[in-house]
Amino acid sequence: MLISLIKKIIFGAFLLYGYNLIAVNFNMVIPINAFTLALITFLGSPALIALVLFKIIVL
């Protein structure tokens, strides 16, 4: 259980980092912090898509 959670946290961090490497060219960087990492850890890649849409629509 704990190992699975740690794997999800690490995967979420790499997913955010990979997205930020691409998005820096378009000025669409999502900060890697506890809130965004928790969202991506528990909700997966749809949370990343939701954060990107939120960034486009609201900010």
Side-chain angles (χ1 to χ4, degrees), residues 43-56:
L43 299 177
S45 57
L48 179 63
I49 295 168
L51 287 170
V52 169
L53 290 175
F54 180 76
K55 180 108 176 160
I56 291 170

Side-chain angles (χ1 to χ4, degrees), residues 16-31 52 55:
L16 266 175
Y17 181 72
Y19 167 77
N20 283 339
L21 283 177
I22 296 169
V24 72
N25 297 329
F26 306 109
N27 199 18
M28 293 292 297
V29 175
I30 296 174
V52 169
K55 180 108 176 160

Side-chain angles (χ1 to χ4, degrees), residues 1-58:
M1 175 93 179
L2 183 62
I3 300 297
S4 174
L5 181 65
I6 291 171
K7 285 181 183 179
K8 286 184 179 183
I9 291 171
I10 292 171
F11 176 72
F14 279 128
L15 187 66
L16 266 175
Y17 181 72
Y19 167 77
N20 283 339
L21 283 177
I22 296 169
V24 72
N25 297 329
F26 306 109
N27 199 18
M28 293 292 297
V29 175
I30 296 174
I32 301 174
N33 55 31
F35 178 71
T36 57
L37 195 55
L39 276 176
I40 292 178
T41 298
F42 294 115
L43 299 177
S45 57
L48 179 63
I49 295 168
L51 287 170
V52 169
L53 290 175
F54 180 76
K55 180 108 176 160
I56 291 170
I57 294 171
V58 175

